[in-house]
Amino acid sequence: MPPVIVDGMSILPIITVMAAAFTAGAINSIAGGGTLVSFPALLGIGLTGQQANVTSTLALWPGSIGGFWGHREDLAGIRAFAMRLMPPSLIGGALGAWLMLVTPQKVFDQLVPWLILAATVLLAANDPVSKLLKRIHGHERTPGWWIAAICFQFIVGIYGGYFGAGIGILMLAALSLLGLTDIHQMNGLKNLLALCINGIAIFAFMAMEFLRHPGNAKWMLVLPMAVAAGLGGLFGSHMAHRVGRTTVRGGVVVIGFILSAWYFYKTYAA
């Protein structure tokens, strides 16, 4: 029996990336790092690095809205943080997305193992960094500290717009050093800033898709992956207390190191 074809692609790859998106949505809901599942899955069905990056970002972004909405009430009292850190997030995210789109495809594909490794290291550093920051008292928020925080958030925005996995730990670290101690407030602000970074990156991706770089977004995969990621997020929210963040994060870190090793071999040694 011949394989079922949907818009030039057999149904099996579509089911594969939907399963990856479901898993990524659940992982993001519990511990973060879902891109380390969805991005390699898209590479595995034959997409280029840029196509996989754009498609994964488009598909997983709706799930981040839920994360922000769930923590919206925790933003009360930290309006000053949000108003000062949103502009560098938006500008940095737009710049990072533009840099990703103008990077030659061959160069970006060579960067893939480094990007996966960087995201894995950031995810692995989450717990040690969190423990370290708990022992550091918040500094007085002088103008110099604000300037440093804004510059750092701008760099985070560039990285987030370019690839994005692992930005949560960077932002939590920065917020801790600025003196925030309420983890719920920090998560709420982190989700808002991530929404800004990924949202502006998606706007840039879509604008460039229609104006200069058609073909980077695989729209036939975006919608089913978005639905699967949303369902995965709901599933993950119910499983969070049963499984635990540490267990899930540890599993994703192991997967990330294995994938980065594989792509280093495939890119530079094969």
Side-chain angles (χ1 to χ4, degrees):
M1 182 177 177
V4 178
I5 304 296
V6 179
D7 194 22
M9 181 176 290
S10 68
I11 196 68
L12 182 58
I14 297 175
I15 294 175
T16 299
V17 296
M18 286 182 67
F22 179 89
T23 304
I27 290 172
N28 281 338
S29 179
I30 299 172
T35 300
L36 287 172
V37 175
S38 59
F39 178 71
L42 290 164
L43 291 176
I45 66 169
L47 271 63
T48 67
Q50 287 165 317
Q51 289 173 337
N53 191 31
V54 173
T55 302
S56 178
T57 301
L58 287 168
L60 297 186
W61 186 70
S64 64
I65 298 176
F68 161 70
W69 189 254
H71 284 279
R72 67 191 185 283
E73 295 180 357
D74 297 318
L75 291 172
I78 53 173
R79 177 182 174 86
F81 283 86
M83 297 304 294
R84 289 172 176 167
L85 297 179
M86 283 175 63
S89 299
L90 292 167
I91 297 171
L95 178 58
W98 176 78
L99 288 172
M100 194 282 295
L101 289 170
V102 300
T103 300
Q105 180 177 304
K106 184 177 180 181
V107 173
F108 189 87
D109 287 343
Q110 290 176 336
L111 288 174
V112 163
W114 295 100
L115 293 170
I116 294 176
L117 179 61
T120 304
V121 170
L122 286 173
L123 199 62
N126 190 298
D127 288 338
V129 170
S130 296
K131 291 177 182 178
L132 174 64
L133 292 173
K134 286 179 180 178
R135 296 197 292 267
I136 299 177
H137 296 290
H139 296 273
E140 182 183 354
R141 292 188 284 275
T142 63
W145 274 100
W146 275 117
I147 291 173
I150 289 170
C151 291
F152 182 81
Q153 187 61 30
F154 176 68
I155 295 171
V156 173
I158 293 175
Y159 170 72
Y162 197 89
F163 187 61
I167 58 174
I169 179 58
L170 295 175
M171 290 190 285
L172 287 176
L175 295 174
S176 294
L177 292 175
L178 274 173
L180 282 181
T181 56
D182 188 322
I183 188 60
H184 299 297
Q185 286 186 330
M186 293 165 67
N187 274 324
L189 185 55
K190 176 203 72 174
N191 290 336
L192 172 62
L193 298 177
L195 198 66
C196 292
I197 292 170
N198 292 326
I200 197 67
I202 285 175
F203 179 81
F205 290 158
M206 294 180 67
M208 295 294 278
E209 174 76 12
F210 292 112
L211 295 176
R212 291 187 57 187
H213 295 273
N216 272 327
K218 294 301 179 182
W219 296 103
M220 61 172 294
L221 299 175
V222 170
L223 181 58
M225 286 183 69
V227 172
L231 294 174
L234 291 174
F235 175 76
S237 65
H238 290 294
M239 294 296 294
H241 296 292
R242 297 184 184 180
V243 181
R245 292 186 177 186
T246 302
T247 302
V248 173
R249 186 175 291 123
V252 176
V253 167
V254 171
I255 292 171
F257 280 125
I258 293 172
L259 288 171
S260 61
W262 164 248
Y263 282 108
F264 269 114
Y265 171 79
K266 184 178 178 181
T267 303
Y268 296 104

